[in-house]
Amino acid sequence: WGISVSPLVTEGMVIVSVGGGPGKSLVAYRTEDGAPVWAGGNDGLGYSSPRLAELDGARQVLIFSDHSLAGHDPRTGALWWQYPWPAGHPHVAVPAVVTTNSILGSSGYGYGCELLQIARDAQGEWQARRLWRSNRLKAKFANPLIKDGFIYGLDDGIFTCLDPANGQARWKDGRYGHGQHILAGDLLLLMAETGELVLLEPKPDALHELSRVPVFDHKTWNPPAMAGPYVLVRNDL
């Protein structure tokens, strides 16, 4: 299958997860000329892309690699914290920021999700501590989303909403397969695996499907993109 990872462009740098061996798991290059800026971390390459987040008052780069979730200093690439995650299956979904000091990691193939508290201790050292684990959201491809404090995602192809307090399911409904979804204001656009584009209103009481339109008639795993009133969708045909 190969590995497909999106780069992160920020503060004059292109940050890429390359899994390049000791000290080169995550690397940054200068955007203007491609010159190396920094490298850090030791984990192997996953399918997930780096993202910026502010946790415990500090900006950091999050990455879900082959064996772990980790946070890096965006200025130097230094590894601030690392949390082990079982290997042996693809790690694809980008971690979701749930609160000012917690993130949600999730993977499919039967594993589930974990809410991690990311904070500094009394000595100023970063710590990652599990708050809960749940098998109610096994994100194989799609990135979990946070809306009004609640967690939404595809649990092995069925849409679900989790309570962030304990990881319990508020509801689980709608068999959309291994599709992809993005927030569009207060609504959610979901590209189902069947090739249908579905408009949902994410609420914690129940599934609210507003409309759907057939786009493709073949397996679709690709994320949609949105610009203004336009949505771009594609698949492998």
Side-chain angles (χ1 to χ4, degrees):
W1 293 94
I3 296 286
S4 179
V5 177
S6 298
L8 169 66
V9 179
T10 180
E11 297 183 0
M13 295 179 294
V14 178
I15 301 172
V16 187
S17 176
V18 299
K24 296 180 180 179
S25 179
L26 196 68
V27 298
Y29 303 96
R30 200 161 55 194
T31 55
E32 62 183 35
D33 58 8
V37 179
W38 53 251
N42 301 310
D43 203 355
L45 182 62
Y47 289 81
S48 188
S49 301
R51 66 159 295 181
L52 274 177
E54 184 167 322
L55 297 166
D56 199 21
R59 277 165 53 90
Q60 50 195 277
V61 181
L62 305 181
I63 186 64
F64 193 8
S65 298
D66 191 28
H67 295 81
S68 67
L69 274 163
H72 291 254
D73 184 341
R75 300 163 300 175
T76 67
L79 183 64
W80 278 350
W81 59 267
Q82 191 168 24
Y83 182 83
W85 200 275
H89 64 274
H91 299 163
V92 183
V94 175
V97 177
V98 180
T99 69
T100 57
N101 67 349
S102 68
I103 64 171
L104 182 85
S106 181
S107 62
Y109 302 90
Y111 188 76
C113 61
E114 296 190 32
L115 186 71
L116 306 180
Q117 182 185 70
I118 311 297
R120 287 166 284 198
D121 61 19
Q123 289 72 43
E125 298 294 323
W126 286 95
Q127 304 290 332
R129 180 174 68 89
R130 185 170 78 185
L131 299 177
W132 50 254
R133 178 184 171 189
S134 171
N135 67 351
R136 302 296 184 181
L137 177 53
K138 299 174 285 294
K140 188 173 181 179
F141 295 149
N143 303 324
L145 298 172
I146 311 301
K147 180 69 170 65
D148 297 331
F150 289 92
I151 301 164
Y152 297 90
L154 284 167
D155 176 31
D156 265 345
I158 305 176
F159 205 63
T160 190
C161 174
L162 300 192
D163 189 329
N166 51 26
Q168 293 300 305
R170 296 293 296 260
W171 52 263
K172 182 177 179 179
D173 196 5
R175 295 181 177 273
Y176 300 111
H178 295 298
Q180 300 278 0
H181 45 66
I182 56 174
L183 279 175
D186 289 329
L187 302 178
L188 186 145
L189 281 168
L190 188 150
M191 195 70 208
E193 187 174 17
T194 57
E196 290 184 292
L197 185 63
V198 184
L199 184 65
L200 303 172
E201 187 175 11
K203 290 187 174 182
D205 61 334
L207 176 70
H208 294 268
E209 183 177 312
L210 304 180
S211 64
R212 62 168 64 199
V213 58
V215 180
F216 303 119
D217 57 4
H218 190 265
K219 181 171 65 180
T220 302
W221 288 350
N222 308 71
M226 188 170 186
Y230 301 104
V231 179
L232 177 67
V233 294
R234 67 176 291 270
N235 67 6
D236 66 339
L237 289 183

